[in-house]
């Protein structure tokens, strides 16, 4: 009987790693009521543009568009509250560095003459999301999330021809997949944010300076759009 027990224990110890692997890595990671993490990523920012079509400079009407989307950098932290098996509440503030380029041309001028304005943005974004996760399949668990937050712009330069307002509020939605490793969770995540505030500061609300007012006067509204690809570590 003693030898039988010894053989049983030996077989159990040999099989234990295989059983653990069959259950997947970090089998109880999603049962924690609260956990934290961080993320790094890339972003690209865009504008929704409404033109004023106000005649300027001897009746010229200036047209504007975002000529190119510049890659930027994102870094943030994650605070996650488990609500139940499928839903989590997440607060994930981030600091972002990005740039947008506006191209101006005169309506009816086909000579190809354009003027460019570079707008640097350094927004602090404070979003609150609801995350819905599907059933886990071994070491993978896809999810979707949605929410919104506030946007604080720290890249304002009062000497620029276009001055952005310091505050915005937005909705955001995205998708990702939790990948379970032996010591942490990794998740590639793609999010899209849409701002609601008109971020253009009108000329009458600005202090006098050396800027050229025609670039702001050509616009009636600028709204923020942002696409972020992040890599989460939890």
């Amino acid at each position: 009987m003693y030898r039988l027990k010894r053989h049983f224990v030996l077989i159990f110890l040999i099989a234990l790693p295989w059983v653990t692997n069959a259950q997947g890595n970090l089998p109880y990671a999603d049962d924690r009521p609260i956990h934290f993490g961080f993320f790094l990523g890339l972003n690209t920012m865009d504008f929704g543009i409404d033109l004023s079509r106000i005649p300027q400079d001897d009746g010229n009407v200036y047209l504007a568009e975002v000529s190119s989307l510049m890659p930027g950098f994102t870094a943030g932290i994650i605070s996650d509250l488990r609500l139940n098996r499928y839903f989590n509440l997440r607060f994930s503030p981030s600091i972002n560095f990005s740039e947008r380029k506006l191209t101006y041309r005169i309506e009816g001028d086909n000579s190809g003459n354009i003027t460019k304005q570079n707008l640097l943005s350094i927004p602090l974004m404070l979003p609150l999301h609801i995350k819905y996760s599907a059933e886990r399949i071994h070491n993978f668990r896809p999810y979707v999330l949605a929410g919104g937050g506030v946007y604080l712009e720290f890249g304002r330069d009062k000497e620029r021809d276009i001055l952005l307002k310091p505050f915005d509020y937005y909705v955001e939605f995205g998708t990702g997949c939790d990948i379970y490793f032996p010591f942490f969770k990794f998740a590639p995540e793609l999010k899209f944010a849409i701002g609601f505030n008109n971020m253009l500061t009108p000329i009458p609300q600005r202090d006098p300076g050396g800027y050229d007012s025609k670039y702001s006067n050509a616009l009636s509204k600028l709204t923020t759009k942002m696409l972020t690809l992040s890599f989460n570590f939890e």
Side-chain angles (χ1 to χ4, degrees):
M1 180 65 69
Y2 173 75
R3 294 182 60 183
L4 182 62
K5 289 182 178 179
R6 187 174 61 180
H7 289 158
F8 178 81
V9 171
L10 182 61
I11 293 172
F12 175 79
L13 292 176
I14 293 174
L16 182 60
W18 296 94
V19 173
T20 303
N21 185 61
Q23 292 175 345
N25 298 319
L26 301 175
Y28 305 109
D30 295 333
D31 295 336
R32 293 174 294 174
I34 299 175
H35 71 267
F36 303 94
F38 70 93
F39 60 93
L40 302 172
L42 301 173
N43 68 68
T44 182
M45 299 187 74
D46 196 1
F47 277 131
I49 300 177
D50 289 349
L51 300 174
S52 67
R53 307 190 72 88
I54 296 174
Q56 304 180 81
D57 297 341
D58 300 324
N60 292 325
V61 173
Y62 287 87
L63 307 179
E65 63 181 4
V66 178
S67 59
S68 59
L69 300 177
M70 309 294 292
F73 176 73
T74 295
I77 57 176
I78 299 169
S79 300
D80 186 287
L81 174 65
R82 184 180 187 270
L83 300 179
N84 58 35
R85 182 175 178 178
Y86 299 104
F87 288 94
N88 296 66
L89 182 65
R90 294 167 73 88
F91 177 58
S92 50
S94 66
I95 187 72
N96 304 270
F97 301 87
S98 191
E99 185 177 9
R100 287 164 283 196
K101 291 186 177 181
L102 290 179
T103 298
Y104 287 81
R105 63 182 178 85
I106 297 175
E107 186 176 38
D109 183 358
N110 298 319
S111 64
N113 293 327
I114 60 173
T115 304
K116 292 186 177 182
Q117 292 283 324
N118 293 351
L119 294 178
L120 175 67
S121 287
I122 309 176
L124 173 65
M125 303 182 74
L126 304 171
L128 194 64
H129 296 118
I130 290 290
K131 174 184 175 183
Y132 170 76
S133 301
E135 287 288 353
R136 177 174 172 174
I137 303 175
H138 193 50
N139 286 321
F140 301 92
R141 193 177 190 189
Y143 63 85
V144 295
L145 53 83
V150 295
Y151 168 121
L152 305 176
E153 177 62 73
F154 290 99
R156 304 175 77 235
D157 184 351
K158 295 183 179 181
E159 299 302 318
R160 293 274 185 174
D161 293 330
I162 298 173
L163 179 64
L164 298 179
K165 292 180 180 177
F167 174 82
D168 196 6
Y169 55 98
Y170 64 96
V171 296
E172 188 171 47
F173 50 90
T175 185
C177 183
D178 285 324
I179 304 172
Y180 298 78
F181 289 91
F183 301 106
F184 64 92
K185 277 198 311 183
F186 169 76
E189 183 177 282
L190 186 66
K191 299 190 296 290
F192 183 62
I194 303 173
F196 293 106
N197 193 29
N198 182 4
M199 294 298 288
L200 177 68
T201 304
I203 292 298
Q205 298 179 16
R206 297 184 59 176
D207 297 331
Y211 52 82
D212 192 337
S213 62
K214 69 174 178 285
Y215 297 110
S216 285
N217 287 334
L219 308 170
S220 65
K221 187 176 183 180
L222 290 176
T223 53
T224 297
K225 301 177 182 178
M226 184 172 179
L227 183 68
T228 305
L229 173 63
S230 62
F231 302 95
N232 303 346
F233 299 85
E234 302 176 49

